[in-house]
Amino acid sequence: MCTQIDSGVVCESMTDQKRIVLKPIGYVRTKAVGDEVKDKGRTSQIVIDSEFSEAIEGIDGFSHIFVLFWLNQVFAQSKMLKVHPRGREDLPLLGVFATRTNLRPNPLGLTLVELLGVNGNVLVVRGLDAFDETPVLDLKPFDFWDMAENARVPEWWTKLNREKSGRS
Amino acid sequence: MCTQIDSGVVCESMTDQKRIVLKPIGYVRTKAVGDEVKDKGRTSQIVIDSEFSEAIEGIDGFSHIFVLFWLNQVFAQSKMLKVHPRGREDLPLLGVFATRTNLRPNPLGLTLVELLGVNGNVLVVRGLDAFDETPVLDLKPFDFWDMAENARVPEWWTKLNREKSGRS
């Protein structure tokens, strides 16, 4: 059961009676439209709501942050369970959790971005693949526990990545 | 405004009239209690709800995945905006978004784990710092766009990390 409060929603958790609150902590500002948002070289802004201004103090000690955002362009809970990566039928049909598709049961986006600067309550970032006005839910500083240098990725991923590098 | 549907909640987005759905896709199973969950060497399980079984097909092509989970041990939206990392007053007082504290406006956890195996709808992972029965919201395969080898981190982080390495 959920009820509306001033600027968010309070829900009974589905698993217990504790209460959780989901509310945007800010919004994305970008001039990029359509596929332009996928350009890793682009900069965009994250405008933090004034009530959370204090919560970004010290974030500029990190060069990179994870941005968690709400894929509010996805209209409803996706019922898709399998997809071809980037819609390409020459690549295997895979479970959505084996890909980074937007069509996910919970429309949560996660992107590692470079933090170029902080001006008051505005973060300037590079590489955020989110549209203008996307609600931001959380920011997490990137550290060396977040990477796996010797990670194994599947062949289809390597193929896609090689094509991308070839283009740029 | 939110309404309950069979196994989730449908909300009007706070920013527009599109609808979003939040529902657990599975749950954590672990015997670790208290601080034991922080032990990076521990294995735990993620039991995927049967309705999403198909959605993990192919995930075993990746050695590492990000787990997004609900910090359901955090009772309510935290009002904390600043914290000392790990509660240590010898370290600077920082905005919560400059740290990985659990006390966040939106109680969302994010951890990179090693995927050791998949047995039916159960993932066996190493390094997940989540308690037993934690609701899991999303899984995202780790790839090389998720890392920044030359990232800059602040001195307090390096200090904490050095201490941790010294102990193990």
Side-chain angles (χ1 to χ4, degrees), chain B residues 145-162:
Chain B
W145 292 101
D146 295 314
M147 60 186 249
E149 282 179 273
N150 301 313
R152 175 172 44 81
V153 295
E155 200 177 302
W156 64 261
W157 189 90
T158 307
K159 184 182 175 186
L160 272 177
N161 195 50
R162 203 168 7 188

Side-chain angles (χ1 to χ4, degrees), chain B residues 62-91:
Chain B
F62 292 87
S63 62
H64 291 74
I65 59 174
F66 285 109
V67 182
L68 272 79
F69 51 100
W70 223 346
L71 296 164
N72 65 331
Q73 305 286 326
V74 179
F75 277 67
Q77 182 197 34
S78 173
K79 301 289 183 200
M80 299 273 277
L81 294 179
K82 300 184 86 172
V83 293
H84 292 283
R86 306 206 194 158
R88 285 197 17 189
E89 297 197 0
D90 60 317
L91 299 178

Side-chain angles (χ1 to χ4, degrees), chain A residues 85-86 88 91 155-165 167:
Chain A
R86 304 203 195 161
R88 284 195 21 187
L91 299 178
E155 201 177 301
W156 65 260
W157 188 90
T158 308
K159 184 181 176 190
L160 272 178
N161 195 49
R162 203 168 5 187
E163 290 176 12
K164 194 168 177 165
S165 308
R167 277 206 309 274

Side-chain angles (χ1 to χ4, degrees), chain B residues 7-165:
Chain B
S7 51
V9 175
V10 184
C11 297
E12 305 273 339
S13 163
M14 268 76 84
T15 52
D16 56 39
Q17 296 308 305
K18 292 165 193 166
R19 300 172 80 81
I20 62 151
V21 173
L22 296 171
K23 71 192 283 190
I25 59 144
Y27 295 88
V28 174
R29 284 281 172 78
T30 176
K31 291 184 179 134
V33 291
D35 275 356
E36 290 171 2
V37 300
K38 294 181 187 166
D39 177 352
K40 285 285 182 191
R42 273 205 173 250
T43 60
S44 41
Q45 296 183 328
I46 299 171
V47 181
I48 302 296
D49 281 358
S50 56
E51 68 174 301
F52 298 114
S53 294
E54 268 187 72
I56 57 171
E57 283 181 34
I59 199 168
D60 55 355
F62 292 87
S63 62
H64 291 74
I65 59 174
F66 285 109
V67 182
L68 272 79
F69 51 100
W70 223 346
L71 296 164
N72 65 331
Q73 305 286 326
V74 179
F75 277 67
Q77 182 197 34
S78 173
K79 301 289 183 200
M80 299 273 277
L81 294 179
K82 300 184 86 172
V83 293
H84 292 283
R86 306 206 194 158
R88 285 197 17 189
E89 297 197 0
D90 60 317
L91 299 178
L93 184 65
L94 297 162
V96 293
F97 297 136
T99 80
R100 297 291 278 258
T101 177
N102 284 347
L103 300 169
R104 317 183 75 76
N106 290 305
L108 297 168
L110 171 70
T111 303
L112 179 66
V113 302
E114 190 178 353
L115 179 59
L116 300 176
V118 181
N119 302 314
N121 66 330
V122 178
L123 309 184
V124 182
V125 300
R126 178 153 52 207
L128 180 57
D129 54 346
F131 293 104
D132 196 42
E133 296 189 18
T134 295
V136 174
L137 296 174
D138 204 355
L139 304 171
K140 295 186 191 282
F142 173 87
D143 66 47
F144 299 109
W145 292 101
D146 295 314
M147 60 186 249
E149 282 179 273
N150 301 313
R152 175 172 44 81
V153 295
E155 200 177 302
W156 64 261
W157 189 90
T158 307
K159 184 182 175 186
L160 272 177
N161 195 50
R162 203 168 7 188
E163 289 176 15
K164 194 168 177 167
S165 309

Side-chain angles (χ1 to χ4, degrees), chain A residues 109-123:
Chain A
L110 171 69
T111 303
L112 179 65
V113 301
E114 189 179 354
L115 178 59
L116 301 176
V118 180
N119 302 314
N121 66 330
V122 178
L123 309 184

Side-chain angles (χ1 to χ4, degrees), chain A residues 1 4 19-20 22-23 57 63 70 75 82 100 104 106 108 137-141 146 152, chain B residues 1 4 19-20 22-23 57 63 70 75 82 100 104 106 108 137-141 146 152:
Chain A
M1 191 191 309
Q4 194 122 21
R19 300 173 79 80
I20 61 149
L22 295 171
K23 73 194 284 189
E57 284 182 32
S63 62
W70 223 346
F75 278 67
K82 301 184 86 171
R100 297 292 278 258
R104 318 183 75 77
N106 289 305
L108 297 168
L137 295 175
D138 204 354
L139 304 172
K140 296 188 192 280
D146 295 314
R152 176 172 44 81
Chain B
M1 193 191 309
Q4 195 121 20
R19 300 172 80 81
I20 62 151
L22 296 171
K23 71 192 283 190
E57 283 181 34
S63 62
W70 223 346
F75 277 67
K82 300 184 86 172
R100 297 291 278 258
R104 317 183 75 76
N106 290 305
L108 297 168
L137 296 174
D138 204 355
L139 304 171
K140 295 186 191 282
D146 295 314
R152 175 172 44 81

